[in-house]
């Protein structure tokens, strides 16, 4: 590595990658070895360069950080929820980065019991995450998991909540989730493959037994599937699930007999997706059986669970996507989506009631909250909108009265909802399809093309980016930015077909939709190409890489966070975490058709000698989802080929992974860096 014009220049070592009689030359393949001191030297040089290029914004970054932090209530407490006779709460204390988990018996006036203080647990670690907490049925034990590397490989331990003792049981390399049988001494958990990090085995652990005596109760051998285990809300069954992108399979066992054998609910069938819930003596199934593209709800008894015995409860509707259900003793709650908007449907088991909760906005998000109490008459749900802070609401299913249990406080006194406006507009894609865009901005903007716009999207895995409130985003809105979410194909905003039309051999629709939204925002004078900025992370980082290869002239700047940009090489390497499980999303490049299509849009493979926008690329050294070397190689190749003098900055968190820094406020420093980059390009540094 040498230094050219002050920015780092990675050494070129040509590596030939040949398949299907096609050879690609990868000059930066060597960067995938983080044990190589030269790799670390290069990453450190990139960090130093970024720091030097943004040195003039350091005070501004501090201002932004303090501004964002000042809006957040530091001494905060979650809305309590009741489970098995205890009220559970999560607290934050002033000056502390991590949550504190407590509970109270019977009433909220009861004595507080400390479960976990993550501030103490995190003291010796540069990264810390408490994964899952699972309370035993007798309320005496808690299985908990921790990750101190940020690679999502969790260690499970057990704490005695009566004595405070942490038992010697220590199970490493798990997904972080543990499930108790009803005997209070048998734990089930999912183990990860140490190389691919695929969750591939379900183990049974007896309390205080040596780990090497743990029994494998299920081995998922299909490399395109992941496995997991949970207990039904009714507490009657332990359920082992296996899922791929397009298929699923479940096994179940009475939780009173943990040493019994799991029974297959419905064996896996290509393209059959289903989920199960239990109520009384029946199971309820959400599935896409019988071409139910947007899913339907069926039921069956506990004895005959195969698909031949499923009877429709809510049939398939072409315009309505069923996303989830919640079961209470007297009601079935259905989370639906129609025309992109969330709906909560309430149906009484006696069929006397069937109605929707009313929502009046087009830029809101609502969701079913934490409702662990099967016998409750209270439905907890959440609501927020692009211009409205979040609320946690309890809705009484009997009286139909709502009680707001908590509203998000925006401290500082400057925020007033009425100062902001949000709306939904529709762009027309190149193939004539209408693409929704959710917008939020401070009132008073003029459509003269001078407004800076930050356009965000994801567009993969059927993951819907709902329009939701962000207090940190106010630092952009208050400085004149418009924030836009493009609900592009590849997500499920407009139903399952919206997803199907943005994956595999339709993947290019994701990129062209985003570009067409950009052109529409410019055409309607919300902004211009001198003030338009694009932002995406992970698979959304792939989106960023693709749009700047296709239409770089549309954007003044781009933020690409943990970007998945070396698509072909990654999808050809089945030792990399997630690869085999994603063939149904991207295609398997071992097949020529998918290889050619993937290569046609893979950002790394399509970097050219041309002008690119200003760019800030971020990653984490320990990322298990998108390995750090993808953005590292991409940046190196861009540096080699781009013909402009625009900024290209690369920031690597040497302590974290895919989710960024741990701690409540550390992540704000990363956001402050990104926002300072954008605002500096706009000449706004105050």
């Amino acid at each position: 590595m040498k230094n050219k014009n002050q920015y780092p220049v990675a050494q070129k070592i040509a590596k030939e990658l040949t398949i299907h009689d096609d050879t690609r030359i990868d000059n930066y393949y060597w960067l995938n070895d983080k044990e190589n001191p030269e790799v670390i030297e290069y990453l450190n040089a990139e960090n130093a360069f970024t720091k030097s290029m943004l040195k003039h914004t350091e005070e501004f970054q501090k201002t932004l950080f303090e501004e964002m932090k000042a809006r957040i209530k530091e001494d905060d407490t979650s809305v309590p929820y009741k489970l098995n006779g205890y009220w559970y709460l999560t607290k934050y204390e002033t000056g502390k980065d991590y949550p504190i988990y407590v509970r109270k018996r019977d009433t909220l006036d009861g004595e507080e019991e400390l479960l976990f203080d993550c501030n103490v647990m995190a003291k010796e670690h540069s990264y810390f995450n408490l994964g899952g907490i699972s309370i035993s049925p007798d309320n005496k034990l808690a299985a908990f998991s921790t990750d101190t590397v940020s690679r999502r490989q969790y260690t499970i331990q057990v704490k005695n909540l009566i004595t405070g003792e942490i038992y010697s049981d220590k199970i490493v390399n798990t997904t972080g989730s543990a499930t108790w049988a009803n005997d209070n001494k048998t734990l089930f958990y999912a183990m990860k493959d140490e190389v691919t990090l695929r969750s591939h085995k379900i183990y049974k652990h007896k309390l205080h037994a040596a780990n090497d005596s743990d029994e494998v109760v299920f081995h998922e051998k299909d490399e395109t599937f992941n496995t997991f285990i949970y207990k039904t809300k009714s507490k009657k069954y332990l359920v082992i699930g296996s899922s791929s992108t397009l298929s699923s399979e479940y096994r179940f066992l009475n939780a009173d007999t943990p040493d019994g054998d799991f029974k297959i609910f419905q064996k896996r069938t290509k393209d059959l997706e289903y989920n199960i819930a239990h109520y009384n003596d029946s199971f309820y199934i959400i599935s896409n059986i019988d071409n139910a593209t947007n899913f339907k709800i069926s039921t069956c008894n506990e004895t005959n669970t195969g698909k031949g015995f499923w009877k429709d409860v809510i049939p398939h509707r072409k315009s309505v996507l069923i996303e989830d259900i919640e079961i209470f003793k007297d009601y079935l709650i259905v989370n639906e989506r129609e025309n992109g908007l969330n709906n909560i449907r309430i149906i009484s088991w006696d069929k006397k009631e069937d109605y929707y909760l009313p929502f009046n906005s087009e830029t809101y998000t609502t969701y079913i909250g934490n409702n662990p109490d099967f016998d409750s008459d209270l439905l907890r749900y959440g609501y927020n909108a692009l211009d409205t802070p979040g609320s946690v609401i309890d809705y009484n299913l009997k009286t139909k009265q709502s009680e707001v249990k908590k509203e998000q406080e925006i401290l500082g006194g400057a925020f007033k909802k009425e100062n902001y406006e949000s709306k939904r507009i529709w762009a027309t894609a190149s193939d004539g399809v209408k693409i929704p865009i959710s917008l939020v901005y401070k009132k008073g903007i003029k459509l003269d093309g001078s407004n800076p716009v930050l356009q965000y999207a994801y567009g993969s895995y059927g993951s819907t980016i709902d329009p939701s409130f962000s207090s940190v985003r106010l630092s952009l809105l208050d400085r004149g930015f418009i924030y836009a979410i493009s609900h592009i194909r590849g997500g499920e905003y407009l139903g399952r077909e919206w997803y199907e039309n943005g994956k595999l051999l339709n993947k290019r629709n994701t990129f062209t939709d985003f570009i067409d939204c950009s052109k529409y925002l410019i055409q309607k004078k919300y902004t211009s190409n001198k003030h338009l900025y694009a932002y995406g992370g992970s698979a959304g980082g792939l989106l960023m890489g693709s749009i700047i290869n296709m239409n770089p002239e549309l954007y003044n700047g781009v933020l690409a966070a943990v970007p998945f940009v070396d698509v072909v090489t990654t999808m050809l390497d089945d030792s990399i975490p997630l690869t085999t499980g994603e063939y149904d999303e991207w295609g398997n490049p071992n097949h020529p058709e998918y290889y050619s299509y993937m290569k046609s849009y893979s950002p790394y493979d399509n970097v050219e000698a041309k002008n690119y926008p200003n760019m800030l690329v971020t990653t984490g050294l320990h990322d298990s989802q998108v390995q750090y070397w993808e953005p590292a190689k991409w940046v190196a190749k861009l540096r080699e080929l781009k013909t402009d003098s625009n900024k290209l900055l690369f920031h690597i968190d040497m302590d974290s992974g895919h989710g960024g820094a741990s701690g409540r406020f550390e992540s704000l420093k990363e956001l402050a860096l990104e926002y300072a980059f954008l605002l500096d390009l706009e000449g706004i540094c105050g």
Side-chain angles (χ1 to χ4, degrees):
M1 185 184 71
K2 62 181 179 179
N3 196 285
K4 173 187 173 185
N5 298 333
Q6 298 184 333
Y7 60 75
V9 178
Q11 183 182 2
K12 291 172 65 173
I13 304 174
K15 182 175 179 66
E16 293 188 357
L17 301 169
T18 302
I19 188 173
H20 308 310
D21 296 322
D22 181 66
T23 297
R24 293 176 300 130
I25 305 298
D26 189 343
N27 290 319
Y28 304 107
Y29 189 90
W30 66 277
L31 286 170
N32 73 355
D33 180 12
K34 67 181 175 185
E35 303 303 318
N36 181 347
E38 292 185 13
V39 171
I40 300 301
E41 181 188 353
Y42 171 70
L43 298 179
N44 285 330
E46 285 285 5
N47 274 341
F49 177 68
T50 296
K51 186 174 177 63
S52 68
M53 290 296 290
L54 292 178
K55 188 171 182 58
H56 65 287
T57 71
E58 285 182 356
E59 285 304 313
F60 185 42
Q61 288 180 49
K62 291 177 184 176
T63 298
L64 288 170
F65 170 76
E66 293 298 337
E67 183 179 290
M68 295 173 185
K69 184 179 177 183
R71 296 191 194 104
I72 298 171
K73 193 173 189 294
E74 290 198 52
D75 55 333
D76 204 5
T77 303
S78 67
V79 180
Y81 68 88
K82 195 171 188 181
L83 175 63
N84 200 19
Y86 281 84
W87 290 94
Y88 288 86
L89 304 91
T90 305
K91 303 194 305 182
Y92 286 93
E93 294 181 349
T94 301
K96 295 183 178 180
D97 257 335
Y98 294 93
I100 300 167
Y101 295 89
V102 300
R103 70 177 182 179
K104 298 180 179 184
R105 187 169 184 172
D106 295 330
T107 73
L108 287 169
D109 296 325
E111 184 180 349
E112 187 175 279
E113 297 179 31
L114 174 65
L115 302 179
F116 299 97
D117 186 342
C118 294
N119 298 286
V120 175
M121 299 169 75
K123 261 184 181 174
E124 305 301 320
H125 306 286
S126 57
Y127 177 91
F128 178 84
N129 184 41
L130 183 67
I133 301 172
S134 178
I135 307 295
S136 62
D138 64 5
N139 294 314
K140 294 179 180 179
L141 303 171
F144 68 99
S145 62
T146 55
D147 173 15
T148 57
V149 177
S150 187
R151 202 160 166 78
R152 302 187 184 182
Q153 291 171 284
Y154 290 88
T155 297
I156 293 173
Q157 295 175 268
V158 177
K159 181 177 181 179
N160 186 315
L161 299 178
I162 309 302
T163 66
E165 177 187 1
I166 295 179
Y167 293 152
S168 59
D169 307 65
K170 205 169 197 177
I171 307 165
V172 300
N173 193 34
T174 76
T175 60
S177 176
T179 302
W180 291 96
N182 289 342
D183 63 358
N184 300 295
K185 62 181 181 182
T186 307
L187 266 180
F188 292 84
Y189 61 91
M191 182 71 75
K192 288 189 170 187
D193 182 284
E194 290 191 3
V195 176
T196 66
L197 302 189
R198 180 176 71 92
S199 55
H200 67 314
K201 291 179 180 179
I202 303 296
Y203 279 85
K204 178 171 60 180
H205 174 76
K206 296 292 186 181
L207 202 58
H208 306 310
N211 290 354
D212 57 12
S213 66
D214 287 3
E215 177 187 344
V216 178
V217 295
F218 176 66
H219 183 190
E220 180 50 77
K221 296 179 180 178
D222 188 327
E223 293 184 345
T224 65
F225 279 73
N226 288 281
T227 187
F228 51 92
I229 185 164
Y230 65 94
K231 190 187 289 184
T232 58
K233 184 176 177 178
S234 66
K235 309 303 179 190
K236 185 172 181 179
Y237 290 107
L238 297 161
V239 179
I240 294 175
S242 279
S243 66
S244 68
T245 305
L246 296 176
S247 302
S248 44
E249 180 181 76
Y250 290 87
R251 291 165 165 77
F252 64 105
L253 172 68
N254 192 305
D256 291 333
T257 59
D259 294 326
D261 295 324
F262 283 81
K263 175 187 174 184
I264 291 181
F265 189 90
Q266 160 61 44
K267 68 179 181 180
R268 67 191 65 181
T269 304
K270 182 176 171 54
D271 297 332
L272 173 60
E273 297 176 69
Y274 71 96
N275 289 305
I276 62 174
H278 180 256
Y279 169 66
N280 280 353
D281 58 357
S282 300
F283 283 100
Y284 286 79
I285 308 110
I286 305 175
S287 79
N288 64 349
I289 194 171
D290 301 328
N291 299 312
T293 308
N294 277 332
F295 296 88
K296 63 179 178 177
I297 300 175
S298 309
T299 188
C300 67
N301 63 40
E302 295 172 313
T303 305
N304 300 307
T305 60
K307 63 182 181 180
F309 298 96
W310 297 358
K311 297 177 181 178
D312 284 4
V313 175
I314 299 178
H316 175 253
R317 291 156 294 167
K318 187 172 176 58
S319 63
V320 179
L321 174 69
I322 294 177
E323 295 191 320
D324 197 9
I325 62 173
E326 184 74 65
I327 290 177
F328 291 89
K329 63 176 181 178
D330 295 325
Y331 294 89
L332 171 65
I333 313 299
V334 187
N335 196 352
E336 300 180 348
R337 184 183 297 273
E338 185 172 12
N339 195 32
L341 305 180
N342 304 123
N343 291 308
I344 295 179
R345 183 178 180 184
I346 297 170
I347 307 169
S348 61
W349 290 116
D350 62 13
K351 306 294 176 64
K352 292 180 180 178
E353 295 181 291
D354 186 345
Y355 62 95
Y356 291 88
L357 294 180
F359 302 108
N360 299 316
S361 170
E362 280 196 338
T363 58
Y364 73 92
T365 297
T366 188
Y367 55 91
I368 298 173
N370 188 10
N371 292 276
D373 188 352
F374 183 78
D375 295 323
S376 178
D377 291 327
L378 296 176
L379 165 67
R380 177 161 294 172
Y381 71 95
Y383 175 88
N384 70 92
L386 280 174
D387 56 3
T388 305
S391 294
V392 176
I393 301 163
D394 279 354
Y395 176 76
N396 192 304
L397 297 162
K398 298 293 188 186
T399 68
K400 298 181 174 56
Q401 298 298 308
S402 295
E403 181 185 0
V404 177
K405 304 298 291 186
K406 182 177 183 178
E407 291 181 346
Q408 180 184 358
E409 290 186 59
I410 310 300
L411 301 185
F415 173 76
K416 289 183 175 58
K417 175 188 170 181
E418 56 269 23
N419 291 339
Y420 302 86
E421 185 174 345
S422 67
K423 65 180 178 179
R424 185 168 61 164
I425 59 176
W426 298 77
T428 302
S430 49
D431 60 359
V433 172
K434 296 290 186 181
I435 311 297
I437 308 170
S438 297
L439 300 174
V440 63
Y441 46 85
K442 202 161 186 182
K443 286 181 179 177
I445 65 164
K446 296 179 181 178
L447 299 185
D448 58 4
S450 66
N451 305 298
V453 168
L454 180 57
Q455 182 187 350
Y456 174 79
Y458 185 71
S460 293
Y461 303 107
S463 179
T464 299
I465 305 301
D466 282 311
S468 57
F469 184 82
S470 166
S471 68
V472 297
R473 192 187 299 141
L474 296 173
S475 292
L476 290 180
L477 302 185
D478 290 347
R479 290 176 172 86
F481 263 78
I482 298 171
Y483 185 77
I485 303 172
S486 296
H487 303 288
I488 54 183
R489 282 173 282 189
E492 266 184 357
Y493 185 79
L494 291 179
R496 184 67 175 194
E497 287 187 6
W498 203 245
Y499 170 42
E500 298 292 343
N501 289 326
K503 62 184 289 197
L504 296 174
L505 298 175
N506 293 318
K507 190 65 211 169
R508 278 184 166 272
N509 285 335
T510 300
F511 317 136
T512 55
D513 281 0
F514 190 93
I515 289 167
D516 289 332
C517 287
S518 300
K519 291 177 178 177
Y520 185 78
L521 291 167
I522 293 171
Q523 176 195 338
K524 294 299 181 180
K525 296 192 179 299
Y526 283 96
T527 190
S528 69
N529 62 349
K530 294 179 180 179
H531 300 287
L532 180 57
Y533 302 89
Y535 184 21
S538 196
L542 161 65
L543 172 65
M544 296 299 101
S546 296
I547 63 166
I548 63 169
N549 282 336
M550 296 167 71
N551 286 89
E553 75 284 355
L554 291 175
Y555 309 97
N556 188 43
V558 170
L559 293 174
V562 292
F564 174 42
V565 285
D566 190 13
V567 185
V568 179
T569 305
T570 290
M571 293 304 297
L572 281 168
D573 187 349
D574 59 14
S575 71
I576 294 176
L578 303 183
T579 294
T580 55
E582 303 210 347
Y583 290 154
D584 287 333
E585 177 71 26
W586 311 104
N588 184 346
N590 291 294
H591 302 302
E593 180 183 26
Y594 287 110
Y595 172 83
S596 297
Y597 188 77
M598 212 175 275
K599 184 183 175 186
S600 76
Y601 68 74
S602 174
Y604 183 63
D605 291 290
N606 289 282
V607 174
E608 297 175 328
K610 62 184 178 185
N611 290 353
Y612 283 92
N614 295 286
M615 295 176 63
L616 172 61
V617 182
T618 62
T619 192
L621 183 64
H622 302 292
D623 197 326
S624 61
Q625 311 299 106
V626 178
Q627 310 297 318
Y628 75 89
W629 61 75
E630 291 199 39
K633 291 164 54 176
W634 184 47
V635 167
K637 191 172 182 180
L638 282 165
R639 288 206 191 286
E640 175 193 352
L641 293 177
K642 77 188 192 83
T643 55
D644 58 83
S645 58
N646 289 330
K647 293 178 181 177
L648 174 56
L649 307 180
F650 186 28
H651 175 70
I652 310 98
D653 188 326
M654 304 299 280
D655 296 317
S656 77
H658 199 65
S662 64
R664 191 162 48 142
F665 300 119
E666 282 302 307
S667 61
L668 296 183
K669 293 178 181 177
E670 297 176 358
L671 269 176
L673 175 74
E674 293 173 354
Y675 282 13
F677 173 77
L678 295 175
L679 290 162
D680 183 48
L681 291 174
E682 279 294 308
I684 305 170
C685 280

